[in-house]
Amino acid sequence: MRILHLGVLTALLLGCATVHPEDTEAWVGQPVNVLEKHPLFLTMQVVKTRASDGTEIWNYINGRDVASCSQDGTLFGRRVGWGTYSSFVDCTSRYQACNNIFYIRDGRVQRVVIMSSGGAQCSTDQRFRPTYSG
């Protein structure tokens, strides 16, 4: 019986770890300055790169030990080349982390994708939305 209770509790907690599409879709069309000032993302490390078509990719990482992949922090907060970015993502795939990836074009967010690595359970709530002010 105790195992059944533990299984139900685990299932309920995993059900809470959900990425809600309405939270990510709320970012589409938002100016990049809203993202730069957002209180949730100010607490996360960011690595930026640019795709060949000019789209900027900003990856806000929420996870433990991913800093070991940052070349002593030199990757955070600045734009890096595609090869360096790919190496960083490959390295962080070994750690539990949520990658909050913002695609930006012409100063506006085009799309947001949340990717987990290392078995992390990612979730969003009202704090993720651009209107959150703390």
Side-chain angles (χ1 to χ4, degrees):
M1 187 65 152
R2 180 172 268 170
I3 292 173
L4 178 62
H5 285 244
L6 183 59
V8 170
L9 179 62
T10 301
L12 288 172
L13 289 175
L14 287 177
C16 294
T18 303
V19 174
H20 300 279
E22 60 271 20
D23 295 334
T24 57
E25 290 166 4
W27 280 101
V28 174
Q30 292 292 321
V32 73
N33 69 341
V34 172
L35 177 57
E36 292 172 322
K37 298 178 205 173
H38 193 278
L40 177 64
F41 298 108
L42 284 173
T43 66
M44 297 180 199
Q45 299 290 349
V46 62
V47 177
K48 302 174 183 178
T49 193
R50 186 183 310 267
S52 61
D53 69 356
T55 302
E56 293 183 58
I57 302 168
W58 295 11
N59 184 355
Y60 286 89
I61 303 115
N62 187 8
R64 302 175 106 186
D65 300 322
V66 295
S68 64
C69 300
S70 72
Q71 300 175 357
D72 295 325
T74 60
L75 301 183
F76 295 136
R78 65 183 187 91
R79 186 170 291 117
V80 297
W82 188 253
T84 301
Y85 180 79
S86 294
S87 295
F88 173 77
V89 170
D90 182 55
C91 178
T92 60
S93 69
R94 294 181 283 245
Y95 300 102
Q96 285 192 345
C98 292
N99 295 277
N100 302 284
I101 304 168
F102 288 77
Y103 295 86
I104 299 165
R105 184 104 175 154
D106 299 323
R108 296 203 172 269
V109 175
Q110 300 297 303
R111 179 169 65 123
V112 179
V113 176
I114 300 176
M115 297 292 298
S116 65
S117 64
Q121 294 291 322
C122 302
S123 64
T124 62
D125 58 24
Q126 292 286 25
R127 293 172 294 178
F128 192 90
R129 293 188 182 202
T131 54
Y132 179 72
S133 62

